[in-house]
Amino acid sequence: MTSASRSGEQTDPCTLLLSDSGMDTAHRHGACLVVIRGDRLGARIDLGDQPVVIGRGSDADFQIASRSVSRSHCRISLRDGQAWIEDLRSTNATYVNDERIDRHRLVDGDQVRIGQSVLKFLAAGNLEAGYLNELREHALRDELTDLYNRRHFMQVLADAVSDCIRRPEAEMVLAIIDIDFFKEINDRIGHLAGDAVLRQLAKVLRERVRADDTLARIGGEEFAVLMPETPLAAAREVCERLRAAVSEAAYVLDDGRREEVTISIGFSDFNEATDNMSELLKRADAYLYEAKSAGRNKVMGPDA
């Protein structure tokens, strides 16, 4: 049976009738820039009350770690609802639609070239921002577990390290997680069943990390958690909670069999002795090695 639409025409009863309000408010957004080419592809800069400095330096609000970008390359700000971009005497200049600028008012669709990166300006309400955001989410996710992938995690980590350098009072902890004896599990039950274990374990971790933490799959059976604004004692509690949750969970295979799975975790904080990303990764990995050497299913890190 059909029903009448607002226009008087007959409609299919299976067709969902939308309200007059149009697009859901969740899809609306303010003015922003989206990287469409070059380093940090897909990243989005939301514009607000405070100006945003783009540059290579660790003190830039949005960092593009390319030698073609000056330490403080350009500044973007909103004034009376209008977006303005200003070059900060950069070495390679700032371009809008391939024209060199000193100061320029941005309009919807303008393309900003900074070094070898290109950013697209989207005015408030432009629906393309939602589309680009969805594309970016697909690019950032690990296909098997739907967690963030290694590439995205390393960029988030680099941003967090830059923030710690800029704000000496900031606290941040990195944890690296490895599944114990996963090769033996794969060899015994097969890779397809091993993938099922990975998906279930990722779900356990995702449900227990805190809202502000970043969880990613960074290798075959290796995961990482970035914990911003977190002291060591609190980070250890988070890691112990994750370890216990994984150990207590049931991993059910398609044939009904159950697997027991444990993880080892190594964590380290950003401090004077760990003042760059490589050193932070190296220390967390060293503590992971200690956890495995101590018998696995353990958490190792510096004392609070």
Side-chain angles (χ1 to χ4, degrees):
M1 181 177 178
T2 59
S3 60
S5 68
R6 285 185 288 266
S7 64
E9 297 176 355
Q10 297 300 306
T11 63
D12 185 333
C14 295
T15 301
L16 177 64
L17 188 62
L18 297 177
S19 67
D20 290 327
S21 60
M23 293 295 292
D24 191 291
T25 54
H27 292 84
R28 298 172 185 169
H29 65 87
C32 65
L33 289 104
V34 178
V35 181
I36 61 172
R37 191 175 73 204
D39 291 335
R40 306 199 61 176
L41 182 66
R44 173 169 151 176
I45 306 172
D46 290 307
L47 302 180
D49 296 334
Q50 298 300 317
V52 176
V53 172
I54 300 175
R56 188 181 79 250
S58 60
D59 57 346
D61 299 304
F62 184 83
Q63 188 179 29
I64 300 177
S66 169
R67 295 184 64 183
S68 64
V69 176
S70 296
R71 294 185 62 82
S72 294
H73 198 103
C74 63
R75 180 189 295 114
I76 303 172
S77 56
L78 281 180
R79 298 178 186 174
D80 300 324
Q82 296 180 335
W84 291 85
I85 184 168
E86 175 187 2
D87 184 72
L88 299 177
R89 302 176 67 182
S90 62
T91 300
N92 291 314
T94 302
Y95 293 81
V96 176
N97 301 326
D98 288 329
E99 292 187 8
R100 181 170 179 162
I101 61 98
D102 292 318
R103 187 171 180 270
H104 182 85
R105 183 172 70 86
L106 294 172
V107 298
D108 194 27
D110 276 350
Q111 294 191 11
V112 177
R113 178 155 57 87
I114 301 170
Q116 296 178 328
S117 293
V118 176
L119 297 82
K120 187 172 185 177
F121 174 69
L122 301 174
N126 188 322
L127 295 180
E128 190 177 354
Y131 164 72
L132 291 173
N133 192 55
E134 287 188 24
L135 284 181
R136 179 172 185 257
E137 275 298 305
H138 283 298
L140 302 182
R141 296 287 177 178
D142 171 61
E143 186 176 354
L144 178 66
T145 62
D146 200 38
L147 300 181
Y148 286 122
N149 58 30
R150 180 183 181 88
R151 179 179 179 181
H152 176 63
F153 184 82
M154 290 304 176
Q155 184 59 63
V156 173
L157 179 60
D159 289 346
V161 168
S162 295
D163 184 57
C164 287
I165 294 172
R166 187 167 58 245
R167 297 189 305 116
E169 74 280 6
E171 295 181 293
M172 180 260 286
V173 174
L174 167 68
I176 298 180
I177 301 168
D178 192 78
I179 303 176
D180 297 329
F181 301 113
F182 189 69
K183 183 181 184 301
E184 287 83 346
I185 293 174
N186 260 341
D187 291 344
R188 178 164 45 80
I189 67 176
H191 288 278
L192 289 179
D195 286 350
V197 169
L198 279 172
R199 284 192 294 269
Q200 293 176 55
L201 185 142
K203 184 174 184 291
V204 172
L205 295 176
R206 183 169 55 241
E207 290 175 347
R208 287 162 179 81
V209 294
R210 303 171 306 174
D212 292 335
D213 296 343
T214 300
L215 169 66
R217 182 188 180 201
I218 60 172
E221 66 269 22
E222 197 168 64
F223 302 82
V225 182
L226 180 64
M227 294 173 267
E229 304 299 339
T230 304
L232 279 171
R236 183 178 289 276
E237 291 179 4
V238 171
C239 291
E240 285 289 358
R241 185 166 65 247
L242 296 176
R243 183 202 59 77
V246 168
S247 178
E248 294 165 5
Y251 302 89
V252 183
L253 306 181
D254 289 341
D255 60 6
R257 285 181 297 163
R258 292 174 176 263
E259 284 292 320
E260 293 185 0
V261 179
T262 62
I263 56 175
S264 298
I265 305 177
F267 70 93
S268 186
D269 62 326
F270 189 90
N271 53 42
E272 293 180 357
T274 312
D275 59 358
N276 60 71
M277 190 170 78
S278 295
E279 185 61 30
L280 178 62
L281 286 163
K282 187 184 300 183
R283 287 195 67 194
D285 197 58
Y287 280 118
L288 174 63
Y289 180 78
E290 284 189 24
K292 287 189 170 292
S293 298
R296 294 178 167 80
N297 193 22
K298 295 185 183 299
V299 172
M300 291 290 184
D303 295 328

